[in-house]
Amino acid sequence: LGGPTGIERFVSPGKGRGLRVTKPFKVGELLFASLPYTYVLTASERGSNCEFCFTRKEGLAKCGKCKKALYCNVKCQKGDWAMHKLECGAMIAYGENWCPSESVRLVARIIAKQKAQKERSTSEKLLLIGELESHIDDVDIEKREMNEGDIASLHQFYSKNLDFPSKTAVLTLFSQVNCNGFTVEDEELSKMGSAVYPDVALVNHSCCPNVIVTYKGNVAEVRAVQDMTPGEEVFTSYIDLLYPTADRNERLRDAYYFTCDCKECKTKSKDKLKLKVRKRNKPPAPEEISSMMRYARNTIKEFRSAKQILMEMCQLSLDKMGEVFEDSNVYMLHMMYQAMGVCLYMGDWDEAIRYGEKVLKPYSILYPPYSMNVASMYLKLGRLYLGLERKLSGIDAMAIMEVAHGKDHQYLIELRKEIEMQK
């Protein structure tokens, strides 16, 4: 199989494998697109998205056996059967107790695909699935215990349909999936599923990325967000770039086992702005700022694990942090974003708009150019404005999305129609 034109695999100094461009690319230009080696639709999206192609539509047809998986048509159902048959019977047998994690589901599909497919797949033009970095020797005790639990789940739900390789091989697969798995998101950054894209996994991380990875269904598209010249390495961001340098690198070390040495991490040029504190007659002492940062980080971790974020919790945290932090401080912005989500969940559209409008301007300053985090906020607010029959301004969102998704993306076509209808 020939690789994508205009890019090549190479040894990146200090980083190992990487990708670089062999021809110029302009902002918004597609470097390459990749089908997933394997993927799964998130369970909560069942009922609204096709299991095979991830298309969101009404009138999807149910699998005749399990009644859980839904498809656009017979073609999609047949296309998915090789993978769905691994789960269909178990979903019937276990009913509501069928609960493998997405990592378990991905590993099961990789095992099945490796056994059935002997040729190099279209997802492996640059990197084979077996070449993915695992960092298995770096995995700490907590993650090892999680992997052991996943192995038990794999045997529980898939033993009737799979012959498992050795335990070491299975542990390696889990480590590879955890290090190289992608969250497939829609235009508003809502999760649709998880996938493994070996070729896209070759792209190294930078907090000053020159490409962005977005999705058309379950196909990953890699587009330039900076003009690129031949020989330049391709960089994307593995994490949310809103946070200050220390936080970003803590997340990178925890999930990917490295520390970033990009220009932004060396200069920390935006850290002061991201950690802005309130001007008071008596400035807060360093100990007070450090204490509030610890509180903010712990609160974020608690909210991540909470099943339902209550409005009172958000407001209490905002009140407490607001005594020290400015509204544009990234920890305040994080909490306001969470509060907006709670308002959307509760159907309080006006309050959701209030929080969204507070977040939007700082996002535009703190995120890199053409960030999907900024575009998704414009889109969320745009839909709320439409629902409340307020004037929609989707121009800024469209400018970002034309770069991130391409001008012919279906969502952009629909957004143009909505804007035109309001004129």
Side-chain angles (χ1 to χ4, degrees):
L1 293 172
T5 58
I7 57 170
E8 66 179 5
R9 174 175 165 175
F10 81 118
V11 177
S12 176
K15 291 181 171 63
R17 298 173 302 213
L19 283 184
R20 64 185 172 194
V21 297
T22 58
K23 70 172 190 178
F25 284 92
K26 295 289 186 184
V27 169
E29 195 172 347
L30 180 71
L31 275 69
F32 70 101
S34 178
L35 288 163
Y37 181 87
T38 193
Y39 60 96
V40 294
L41 181 73
T42 293
S44 61
E45 293 301 305
R46 282 192 167 137
S48 56
N49 292 63
C50 175
E51 200 89 15
F52 181 64
C53 69
F54 283 18
T55 297
R56 186 186 296 273
K57 61 187 286 188
E58 300 290 331
L60 294 168
K62 291 182 180 179
C63 167
K65 294 183 178 180
C66 68
K67 313 293 185 187
K68 298 287 187 184
L70 280 79
Y71 299 97
C72 295
N73 47 43
V74 173
K75 183 180 178 182
C76 281
Q77 187 171 5
K78 286 183 176 178
D80 194 47
W81 179 242
M83 293 294 112
H84 180 56
K85 69 181 181 182
L86 301 173
E87 302 177 342
C88 191
M91 288 166 71
I92 297 169
Y94 284 95
E96 295 300 315
N97 294 319
W98 186 83
C99 55
S101 68
E102 289 185 14
S103 294
V104 171
R105 297 178 67 201
L106 286 171
V107 167
R109 291 173 181 225
I110 291 171
I111 292 170
K113 190 165 182 176
Q114 285 180 323
K115 185 176 181 181
Q117 183 175 300
K118 303 304 178 187
E119 300 294 323
R120 194 178 191 125
S121 75
T122 55
S123 309
E124 303 170 285
K125 292 178 180 178
L126 299 164
L127 185 75
L128 290 167
I129 187 80
E131 293 182 282
L132 290 172
E133 182 62 67
S134 69
H135 288 285
I136 194 164
D137 294 331
D138 300 315
V139 175
D140 60 25
I141 294 173
E142 183 181 353
K143 288 181 181 175
R144 285 183 188 277
E145 289 175 352
M146 289 175 62
N147 284 343
E148 291 288 349
D150 280 340
I151 289 175
S153 180
L154 180 70
H155 282 270
Q156 178 183 358
F157 295 116
Y158 293 90
S159 57
K160 286 189 177 180
N161 294 303
L162 280 180
D163 293 324
F164 301 112
S166 69
K167 184 177 180 180
T168 300
V170 173
L171 276 171
T172 300
L173 278 176
F174 274 110
S175 294
Q176 287 174 319
V177 166
N178 291 334
C179 281
N180 299 280
F182 286 77
T183 299
V184 181
E185 298 170 322
D186 66 11
E187 296 81 7
E188 291 191 10
L189 300 187
S190 295
K191 182 177 178 179
M192 293 193 294
S194 297
V196 178
Y197 302 92
D199 289 349
V200 186
L202 264 177
V203 181
N204 284 317
H205 166 86
S206 171
C207 300
C208 311
N210 52 19
V211 302
I212 187 171
V213 181
T214 55
Y215 303 91
K216 190 175 286 186
N218 56 31
V219 177
E221 295 187 334
V222 181
R223 292 181 185 274
V225 292
Q226 296 179 28
D227 290 339
M228 301 175 71
T229 56
E232 194 173 338
E233 182 164 3
V234 182
F235 289 110
T236 189
S237 174
Y238 292 179
I239 55 169
D240 189 336
L241 295 178
L242 180 65
Y243 300 95
T245 305
D247 281 27
R248 294 198 308 275
N249 275 296
E250 183 181 334
R251 293 173 190 215
L252 289 169
R253 284 190 294 271
D254 181 60
Y256 303 103
Y257 307 99
F258 71 87
T259 300
C260 183
D261 62 353
C262 72
K263 182 181 177 181
E264 181 58 35
C265 285
K266 287 177 179 176
T267 63
K268 304 180 182 180
S269 64
K270 289 186 177 180
D271 279 12
K272 189 174 182 181
L273 188 60
K274 290 181 176 184
L275 298 172
K276 197 171 182 180
V277 299
R278 293 201 177 278
K279 291 180 179 178
R280 303 191 305 205
N281 292 331
K282 183 182 178 183
E287 295 79 12
E288 186 179 1
I289 295 172
S290 298
S291 173
M292 193 57 68
M293 284 179 66
R294 283 194 298 274
Y295 170 80
R297 288 168 178 162
N298 290 334
T299 303
I300 288 170
K301 288 177 182 177
E302 287 173 15
F303 277 20
R304 278 182 191 154
S305 62
K307 291 185 177 178
Q308 183 177 350
I309 305 170
L310 301 176
M311 196 67 237
E312 292 82 359
M313 291 172 65
C314 290
Q315 197 56 57
L316 181 67
S317 298
L318 284 168
D319 290 344
K320 182 169 181 174
M321 289 191 289
E323 295 173 5
V324 176
F325 295 154
E326 281 281 8
D327 283 356
S328 61
N329 185 293
V330 294
Y331 296 111
M332 292 288 284
L333 294 175
H334 177 98
M335 203 56 60
M336 284 188 271
Y337 182 82
Q338 297 290 351
M340 182 185 181
V342 176
C343 292
L344 290 172
Y345 178 80
M346 295 167 64
D348 188 346
W349 312 134
D350 287 306
E351 196 68 1
I353 286 174
R354 186 177 75 84
Y355 281 115
E357 288 176 339
K358 277 190 167 186
V359 166
L360 185 57
K361 187 177 179 181
Y363 265 27
S364 302
I365 296 168
L366 298 174
Y367 275 110
Y370 308 111
S371 166
M372 281 304 298
N373 299 80
V374 180
S376 70
M377 184 56 66
Y378 275 114
L379 291 171
K380 283 185 173 75
L381 286 171
R383 284 182 164 172
L384 286 167
Y385 292 154
L386 281 171
L388 297 173
E389 297 183 345
R390 298 186 188 178
K391 187 172 177 59
L392 170 68
S393 175
I395 305 303
D396 293 298
M398 285 181 64
I400 298 170
M401 288 190 62
E402 283 179 356
V403 169
H405 289 283
K407 294 182 179 181
D408 61 343
H409 193 281
Q410 183 61 35
Y411 197 89
L412 281 166
I413 295 169
E414 293 171 5
L415 186 58
R416 289 188 194 101
K417 287 179 182 176
E418 290 175 355
I419 294 171
E420 194 63 33
M421 285 170 64
Q422 288 215 333
K423 288 182 179 178

